[in-house]
Amino acid sequence: MASHARPRHRRRRRVPRPVVRVGLALSVAGAAFAAAGAAPAGAAPGHDSDAKKTGRALTGALSHSLAGGIGPVKSLKLDPLAGTTADPLTNKIGTQVADFKPLTTGIVTDPIASGGALEDLPLAGKAVDLLPG
């Protein structure tokens, strides 16, 4: 068989492990928030206190386990090349028009290029503070 007629096998693209881990952590966080909101809403006012105690215990256990799983993700360094000479985020582009204050891309890239974590980002940091851990 000629080489051009040979069937080509395509390799499947694999999702990088860190992406899978972050997706899994976010899924667990969403499940925790859903469970925390559903436990008190599902309890009827006339039920005995055992159901309430069980709901509180489950919510507490879930939030405790999430704190241990999500806490390290919140403080994980986003840019593995931060502080090295090969870091592409240290390159800044800027401009200045007339006597206005100069604008640069450093506003966006500095928190990441300096070795910041997810909780150090200006807008995402406030949302991350809502997660346990």
Side-chain angles (χ1 to χ4, degrees), residues 25-89:
L26 291 175
S27 299
V28 169
F33 285 128
H47 284 249
D48 54 337
S49 63
D50 288 341
K52 291 179 184 178
K53 288 180 185 177
T54 305
R56 279 192 228 122
L58 286 174
T59 305
L62 190 59
S63 65
H64 180 70
S65 63
L66 278 176
I70 293 178
V73 173
K74 289 169 46 176
S75 60
L76 187 67
K77 189 165 108 172
L78 292 175
D79 185 15
L81 297 175
T84 65
T85 57
D87 188 10
L89 294 177

Side-chain angles (χ1 to χ4, degrees), residues 4 6 10 20 22-23 30 33 44 46 53 57-58 66 73-74 95 99 109 124-126 133:
H4 69 277
R6 198 175 318 146
R10 292 188 180 195
V20 173
V22 169
F33 285 128
K53 288 180 185 177
L58 286 174
L66 278 176
V73 173
K74 289 169 46 176
T95 187
D99 58 343
T109 60
K126 293 177 183 178

